[in-house]
Amino acid sequence: MAKGGSSSNKRSREEDNAEVVVGDENPPSTLPEIQERIKQLIARIPSKEETASLSLDDIPAMERWCKTVRKITRDYNLNLNFVAIANYQWEPDRPGHTGQSLGALRNQIQLSTAQTNIVSNHIARVLTPSLDTRLHKKTVVEKPNGVKEETYEYTAVINDPEMLQLNREQLCDEAIYKRQLVVSTMNQMVLCMDDYQKAEAGAAGAETSRFSMAY
């Protein structure tokens, strides 16, 4: 009876999970949901046409592009953190061949994060250049008692305008490539998760067959 109850609870949990629609307000909890979330993020990446049109003549458009891609890559990397939660299994209970599949998946996640960080780091140099604080205005007010009161106003200025200009130029030149790097990396991650799930399913089938033959 306890076994039947456990099976019923499992089916209930699966039914609950099936009703969850992953999205901005609903984080993923399974690998298929993580894959779906990645696909949603891919669909939000600026088009090739928009990316190709970036130029130094329209800095606001460039910054909008950067902010959009930055948000996508941040959400993507955050999404990948759910993989370890979604496929958790106590390591001693995991067969050796499935451990190899998990290791391959982890390696791909590390590579994927490194690739998207290449783009994120460049965007950071465009959106958040190094700043200096400089004196903008000094005001001296003499009070009736003859005491002088000094007020200082400071402003933040770009530390290296030439470097910012260079980063902007580089972004315009490489935007198409960097867009494609993000798209390809995310698509590859979806494919990798497919391969992992197939390997896990195959390993589970082989394990079941081995025990059946032993019986």
Side-chain angles (χ1 to χ4, degrees):
M1 292 295 292
K3 182 177 180 180
S6 175
S7 176
S8 175
N9 290 338
K10 181 179 179 181
R11 284 197 300 271
S12 177
R13 288 195 300 270
E14 290 174 348
E15 289 171 358
D16 290 342
N17 289 337
E19 295 174 358
V20 175
V21 179
V22 66
D24 292 341
E25 303 300 325
N26 294 302
S29 59
T30 66
L31 282 183
E33 289 177 359
I34 293 171
Q35 289 175 294
E36 176 59 28
R37 181 58 177 164
I38 293 175
K39 293 175 184 177
Q40 292 173 2
L41 295 175
I42 293 173
R44 298 178 183 180
I45 295 174
S47 67
K48 286 183 178 180
E49 293 74 20
E50 180 181 350
T51 303
S53 68
L54 295 181
S55 74
L56 297 175
D57 296 328
D58 193 347
I59 300 301
M62 179 191 301
E63 292 182 344
R64 284 195 300 271
W65 186 93
C66 287
K67 290 175 181 178
T68 299
V69 176
R70 179 178 64 181
K71 178 68 166 61
I72 291 169
T73 54
R74 283 178 174 175
D75 287 351
Y76 173 66
N77 288 332
L78 179 60
N79 190 67
L80 292 182
N81 284 287
F82 287 93
V83 173
I85 300 171
N87 65 5
Y88 172 76
Q89 183 178 356
W90 182 239
E91 202 67 30
D93 294 338
R94 189 183 293 275
H97 41 275
T98 61
Q100 292 175 358
S101 298
L102 181 60
L105 178 60
R106 287 171 176 167
N107 290 338
Q108 186 60 41
I109 289 174
Q110 291 177 353
L111 176 61
S112 182
T113 301
Q115 289 172 325
T116 54
N117 282 344
I118 292 173
V119 180
S120 299
N121 291 339
H122 191 173
I123 287 175
R125 293 195 298 271
V126 171
L127 291 180
T128 55
S130 177
L131 301 176
D132 276 341
T133 301
R134 295 180 184 175
L135 179 62
H136 171 65
K137 182 180 179 182
K138 175 183 176 181
T139 304
V140 180
V141 177
E142 185 172 348
K143 295 185 176 182
N145 59 4
V147 176
K148 293 183 178 180
E149 184 179 86
E150 298 180 349
T151 303
Y152 299 88
E153 294 182 19
Y154 294 88
T155 185
V157 296
I158 296 173
N159 177 275
D160 192 341
E162 292 182 359
M163 180 57 68
L164 175 59
Q165 181 73 2
L166 179 62
N167 288 330
R168 287 172 171 171
E169 291 175 358
Q170 185 180 7
L171 179 66
C172 291
D173 292 341
E174 301 175 352
I176 286 292
Y177 274 76
K178 290 189 171 175
R179 175 194 178 277
Q180 190 58 45
L181 178 61
V182 173
V183 172
S184 298
T185 296
M186 294 169 73
N187 277 320
Q188 186 180 45
M189 194 69 246
V190 172
L191 178 61
C192 180
M193 290 181 186
D194 272 337
D195 292 339
Y196 170 77
Q197 291 175 94
K198 291 174 184 176
E200 287 285 282
E207 197 73 10
T208 300
S209 175
R210 182 172 70 84
F211 281 111
S212 296
M213 293 177 66
Y215 178 79

